Amino acid sequence: MSTLRLVQVALPVPLPQLFDYLPPSGGSLPPVGARVLVPLGRRRLVGVVVGQADRSELPAGRLLPVIETLGDGQVLLDAGLLGLLRWCWQYYKHAPGEVVVGALPPALRGAAAHLPAPPLQYRLTSAGRERLQQPPGRAPVQYEMLAALAAGPCRDDALGSIGCQWRKTLAGLLEKGWVTGEPVPDDRLCAVPGPPLTRDQDAAVAAVMADIGRFRCHLLDGVTGSGKTEVYLRLLESVLDAGGQALVLVPEIGLTPQLLRRFRKRLGLEPAVIHSGLAAGERLAAWAAAQSGRAALVVGTRSALFTPLPRLQLIVLDEEHDASFKQQDGFRYSARDVAVKRAAELQIPVVLGSATPSLESLNNAVEGRYAWHRLRERAMQAALPSWRVLDLRQQDALGGLAAAALDAIGETLERGEQAMVFLNRRGYAPVLMCRSCGWHGSCERCDANLTWHRSAGRLVCHHCGSQRRVPALCPDCRADALVGAGEGTQQLEETLERRFPQVPILRFDRDATARKGVLDQQIEEVRRGHPCLLVGTQMLAKGHHFPGMTLVVIVNIDQALYSADYRALERMGQMIQQVAGRAGRSNKPGIVILQTLHPEHPALELLLKQGYEAYARWLLEERRLADLPPVSYQALLRAEAHDRSVTERFLKEAAAVFPAGGTRLFGPMPAIMERLGGRSRLDLLVQAGSRNELHGQIDPWLPRLRELKSGRKVRWAIDLDPQEL
Ligand code: ADP
Ligand code: ZN
Ligand code: ZN
């Protein structure tokens, strides 16, 4: 029999290890999943116990005791979740402590913090009723509180009006046994039933329901407006009615009041909302409600994935292709892939929904690993929009819009409908240049041009954020000849204002919607349905349902057609399809106009003529021929330093210590944008035919990398299944 006498603690430090500690002096061994305060060097840190052991590799003399077991040893992360986090740090090769402590809400990362107690309500006992039969006597306030409770149980905040010392009064009543406290029951609001399902929706719901209680991944591949959300709602209804909990993950920009309202109305409950934009207290309250099992439904963005949910029965991930599910710095993980892993561990179904599935998910569906449900028609008899390509070689596009596009916008407005203009570039012009000598404004710290923000009078780098005032004259030749080249959303707004002065124009980009609440206000305004024009970036592409929108103009996607990034065409197709999906979502037909210099590009032609699935299958075939993901598996070792030669030396040495095996190694090569924020970024790309092969060679490589002296002069990190090169 082994005697467990140590705990293994995950601490928020960037080291690839756990830390062993003895139990606190005079105390017992803290349980797995509890928080502890421990010494590390001169510091005291809050960590999470992830294991117990009977011996340590440290000599006994160097083992230190835990300073304090926090929260009375309450288990915050259950064994299942800790298992998932362990898988994460092993798979993504990230520091265990950062992974585990990062799963706690920020408010619980300090020693003084504690899990808030669940709200209670108070009820009269029979002894309390008897007391109420007697006259008030010398305790009128106590009597008043008893009388207030006679009508039924009350939450403590409702008792606050009774006397100025109501807490003391209440404590007295509890002590006398006249009143008891109990958890507040869920206030189930009245749920509004949904519409009868279409045949395809019904089949998808039935298939997922048949998998409740076992693992299966379902790809809900439904065109925009086909009723995917309605499918989620049906599934949630069933799971919640049966007493289970469910987790819904949405892209960062998808978590709108409109969506939450829809959930609330249809399900008759208040979802616990978790995302990184919440105040610490709000986030903690939602997390505690989920962790204790009180909240049946959690809706959140990427980071909500790690919320403990003791009765989790279903995970839904909406817009599964969305890039915001991948964390790009620190602990780099794919919330989509980890969601699938979590479902597999728990033996529950997971639903990935999208109108434009990622090639990874599509490939899994094609090869039969995922159940594949196609919804190819829009739910409310709405037809899919029709396409028109405007060849920009044959007409001018002054201020960004071709005459034919402006005419189409005018006609749409005359019919009392709405139109939107999409351009994935904010600011006024993507570059400011001199017509006389050819100078152009570029960032000193990045391989990028500075975007001209005309109203602010500034040149801004969209990559590192550095800014400067717009010069009056050309800095090189002193000529008064500076002009913008190309267009950004601000310029399009101006073009539209000039042409349609009476019509309200709403701009959707990061600059226009920086203030909290503006985005939601604008969405509400568009939904009211009066004629208006929208101009914006990919913010417009995500999930919004604008019933009056019948025309979408896509201004410029050409750079994606010839990008060095092999994922650029996939993203372009998704973007075009998602933006187009905003058109004609109710009874009026929608039109999408695409302006391009390359109307004959085969990729574009395929997408527009045959739709996203044919396009994506073609891309998949291309990836197969080139042996790229999802057919192969990649890991990226990225190093960065101010000095390119330092970065290069480290990566060359890293390549030299790469373990022998079947895996291919490419590089060192520059990142697609080599210089960013003053640092030079170079990569080694590892590529293998299977995950096992990949990990089998990376795992022994990492300790060798950590020993390289040249690694101390650079910042380096490894990115598994990288999305950006
Ligand atoms: P998606 O999530 O695929 O974009 P939604 O679920 O938002 O689609 O549905 C689009 C619109 O169609 C919504 O207004 C929704 O209420 C409606 N809808 C969905 N399913 C049905 C149905 N079976 N019958 C009638 N209307 C439906
Ligand atoms: Zn000049
Ligand atoms: Zn920059």
Side-chain angles (χ1 to χ4, degrees), residues 633-645:
Y633 300 87
Q634 293 182 334
L636 189 74
L637 175 67
R638 169 158 297 172
E640 48 180 77
H642 292 284
D643 184 351
R644 184 186 219 255
S645 63

PDB file of all heavy atoms in Angstrom, residues 633-645:
ATOM      1  N   TYR A 633       0.063  16.512 -41.045  1.00  0.00           N
ATOM      2  CA  TYR A 633      -0.025  17.190 -39.749  1.00  0.00           C
ATOM      3  C   TYR A 633       1.207  18.046 -39.555  1.00  0.00           C
ATOM      4  O   TYR A 633       2.315  17.612 -39.862  1.00  0.00           O
ATOM      5  CB  TYR A 633      -0.161  16.158 -38.625  1.00  0.00           C
ATOM      6  CG  TYR A 633      -1.397  15.329 -38.834  1.00  0.00           C
ATOM      7  CD1 TYR A 633      -1.353  14.177 -39.631  1.00  0.00           C
ATOM      8  CD2 TYR A 633      -2.616  15.742 -38.319  1.00  0.00           C
ATOM      9  CE1 TYR A 633      -2.512  13.460 -39.887  1.00  0.00           C
ATOM     10  CE2 TYR A 633      -3.774  15.029 -38.564  1.00  0.00           C
ATOM     11  CZ  TYR A 633      -3.716  13.888 -39.357  1.00  0.00           C
ATOM     12  OH  TYR A 633      -4.860  13.193 -39.615  1.00  0.00           O
ATOM     13  N   GLN A 634       0.976  19.254 -39.044  1.00  0.00           N
ATOM     14  CA  GLN A 634       2.095  20.189 -38.940  1.00  0.00           C
ATOM     15  C   GLN A 634       2.291  20.709 -37.522  1.00  0.00           C
ATOM     16  O   GLN A 634       1.355  20.749 -36.724  1.00  0.00           O
ATOM     17  CB  GLN A 634       1.847  21.416 -39.837  1.00  0.00           C
ATOM     18  CG  GLN A 634       1.845  21.112 -41.312  1.00  0.00           C
ATOM     19  CD  GLN A 634       1.640  22.357 -42.147  1.00  0.00           C
ATOM     20  OE1 GLN A 634       1.051  23.336 -41.693  1.00  0.00           O
ATOM     21  NE2 GLN A 634       2.121  22.332 -43.378  1.00  0.00           N
ATOM     22  N   ALA A 635       3.522  21.094 -37.258  1.00  0.00           N
ATOM     23  CA  ALA A 635       3.823  21.878 -36.063  1.00  0.00           C
ATOM     24  C   ALA A 635       4.797  22.948 -36.512  1.00  0.00           C
ATOM     25  O   ALA A 635       5.609  22.720 -37.407  1.00  0.00           O
ATOM     26  CB  ALA A 635       4.446  21.022 -34.983  1.00  0.00           C
ATOM     27  N   LEU A 636       4.672  24.111 -35.904  1.00  0.00           N
ATOM     28  CA  LEU A 636       5.499  25.235 -36.312  1.00  0.00           C
ATOM     29  C   LEU A 636       6.348  25.676 -35.130  1.00  0.00           C
ATOM     30  O   LEU A 636       5.820  25.960 -34.060  1.00  0.00           O
ATOM     31  CB  LEU A 636       4.580  26.383 -36.736  1.00  0.00           C
ATOM     32  CG  LEU A 636       5.236  27.576 -37.400  1.00  0.00           C
ATOM     33  CD1 LEU A 636       5.635  27.228 -38.817  1.00  0.00           C
ATOM     34  CD2 LEU A 636       4.268  28.746 -37.417  1.00  0.00           C
ATOM     35  N   LEU A 637       7.628  25.690 -35.328  1.00  0.00           N
ATOM     36  CA  LEU A 637       8.503  26.283 -34.314  1.00  0.00           C
ATOM     37  C   LEU A 637       8.816  27.687 -34.789  1.00  0.00           C
ATOM     38  O   LEU A 637       9.468  27.858 -35.814  1.00  0.00           O
ATOM     39  CB  LEU A 637       9.793  25.473 -34.163  1.00  0.00           C
ATOM     40  CG  LEU A 637      10.822  26.100 -33.203  1.00  0.00           C
ATOM     41  CD1 LEU A 637      10.310  26.095 -31.773  1.00  0.00           C
ATOM     42  CD2 LEU A 637      12.153  25.376 -33.286  1.00  0.00           C
ATOM     43  N   ARG A 638       8.309  28.668 -34.057  1.00  0.00           N
ATOM     44  CA  ARG A 638       8.554  30.055 -34.459  1.00  0.00           C
ATOM     45  C   ARG A 638       9.484  30.726 -33.464  1.00  0.00           C
ATOM     46  O   ARG A 638       9.281  30.616 -32.264  1.00  0.00           O
ATOM     47  CB  ARG A 638       7.257  30.837 -34.541  1.00  0.00           C
ATOM     48  CG  ARG A 638       7.481  32.338 -34.685  1.00  0.00           C
ATOM     49  CD  ARG A 638       6.308  33.037 -35.286  1.00  0.00           C
ATOM     50  NE  ARG A 638       6.046  32.570 -36.647  1.00  0.00           N
ATOM     51  CZ  ARG A 638       4.966  32.916 -37.348  1.00  0.00           C
ATOM     52  NH1 ARG A 638       4.060  33.707 -36.813  1.00  0.00           N
ATOM     53  NH2 ARG A 638       4.796  32.462 -38.562  1.00  0.00           N
ATOM     54  N   ALA A 639      10.489  31.387 -33.990  1.00  0.00           N
ATOM     55  CA  ALA A 639      11.398  32.126 -33.120  1.00  0.00           C
ATOM     56  C   ALA A 639      11.418  33.565 -33.581  1.00  0.00           C
ATOM     57  O   ALA A 639      11.293  33.849 -34.775  1.00  0.00           O
ATOM     58  CB  ALA A 639      12.796  31.529 -33.200  1.00  0.00           C
ATOM     59  N   GLU A 640      11.552  34.475 -32.635  1.00  0.00           N
ATOM     60  CA  GLU A 640      11.624  35.879 -33.011  1.00  0.00           C
ATOM     61  C   GLU A 640      12.606  36.630 -32.134  1.00  0.00           C
ATOM     62  O   GLU A 640      12.759  36.331 -30.951  1.00  0.00           O
ATOM     63  CB  GLU A 640      10.244  36.529 -32.981  1.00  0.00           C
ATOM     64  CG  GLU A 640       9.422  36.257 -31.739  1.00  0.00           C
ATOM     65  CD  GLU A 640       8.069  36.945 -31.819  1.00  0.00           C
ATOM     66  OE1 GLU A 640       7.208  36.425 -32.529  1.00  0.00           O
ATOM     67  OE2 GLU A 640       7.896  37.985 -31.157  1.00  0.00           O
ATOM     68  N   ALA A 641      13.284  37.583 -32.753  1.00  0.00           N
ATOM     69  CA  ALA A 641      14.234  38.438 -32.039  1.00  0.00           C
ATOM     70  C   ALA A 641      14.422  39.687 -32.885  1.00  0.00           C
ATOM     71  O   ALA A 641      14.057  39.707 -34.060  1.00  0.00           O
ATOM     72  CB  ALA A 641      15.567  37.725 -31.860  1.00  0.00           C
ATOM     73  N   HIS A 642      14.986  40.724 -32.269  1.00  0.00           N
ATOM     74  CA  HIS A 642      15.209  41.949 -33.034  1.00  0.00           C
ATOM     75  C   HIS A 642      16.173  41.697 -34.177  1.00  0.00           C
ATOM     76  O   HIS A 642      16.039  42.241 -35.255  1.00  0.00           O
ATOM     77  CB  HIS A 642      15.742  43.044 -32.113  1.00  0.00           C
ATOM     78  CG  HIS A 642      14.718  43.481 -31.128  1.00  0.00           C
ATOM     79  ND1 HIS A 642      13.674  44.299 -31.472  1.00  0.00           N
ATOM     80  CD2 HIS A 642      14.529  43.163 -29.834  1.00  0.00           C
ATOM     81  CE1 HIS A 642      12.894  44.492 -30.427  1.00  0.00           C
ATOM     82  NE2 HIS A 642      13.395  43.804 -29.412  1.00  0.00           N
ATOM     83  N   ASP A 643      17.126  40.827 -33.902  1.00  0.00           N
ATOM     84  CA  ASP A 643      18.194  40.600 -34.855  1.00  0.00           C
ATOM     85  C   ASP A 643      17.940  39.290 -35.610  1.00  0.00           C
ATOM     86  O   ASP A 643      17.862  38.222 -35.016  1.00  0.00           O
ATOM     87  CB  ASP A 643      19.494  40.529 -34.035  1.00  0.00           C
ATOM     88  CG  ASP A 643      20.706  40.383 -34.916  1.00  0.00           C
ATOM     89  OD1 ASP A 643      20.528  40.163 -36.135  1.00  0.00           O
ATOM     90  OD2 ASP A 643      21.812  40.479 -34.376  1.00  0.00           O
ATOM     91  N   ARG A 644      17.841  39.394 -36.915  1.00  0.00           N
ATOM     92  CA  ARG A 644      17.502  38.224 -37.702  1.00  0.00           C
ATOM     93  C   ARG A 644      18.532  37.115 -37.542  1.00  0.00           C
ATOM     94  O   ARG A 644      18.191  35.930 -37.478  1.00  0.00           O
ATOM     95  CB  ARG A 644      17.415  38.614 -39.180  1.00  0.00           C
ATOM     96  CG  ARG A 644      16.975  37.490 -40.079  1.00  0.00           C
ATOM     97  CD  ARG A 644      17.066  37.939 -41.544  1.00  0.00           C
ATOM     98  NE  ARG A 644      15.936  37.414 -42.302  1.00  0.00           N
ATOM     99  CZ  ARG A 644      16.045  36.388 -43.150  1.00  0.00           C
ATOM    100  NH1 ARG A 644      17.187  35.774 -43.299  1.00  0.00           N
ATOM    101  NH2 ARG A 644      14.992  35.971 -43.820  1.00  0.00           N
ATOM    102  N   SER A 645      19.814  37.476 -37.453  1.00  0.00           N
ATOM    103  CA  SER A 645      20.846  36.441 -37.435  1.00  0.00           C
ATOM    104  C   SER A 645      20.749  35.605 -36.157  1.00  0.00           C
ATOM    105  O   SER A 645      21.034  34.410 -36.156  1.00  0.00           O
ATOM    106  CB  SER A 645      22.226  37.075 -37.574  1.00  0.00           C
ATOM    107  OG  SER A 645      22.466  37.917 -36.465  1.00  0.00           O
TER     108      SER A 645
END
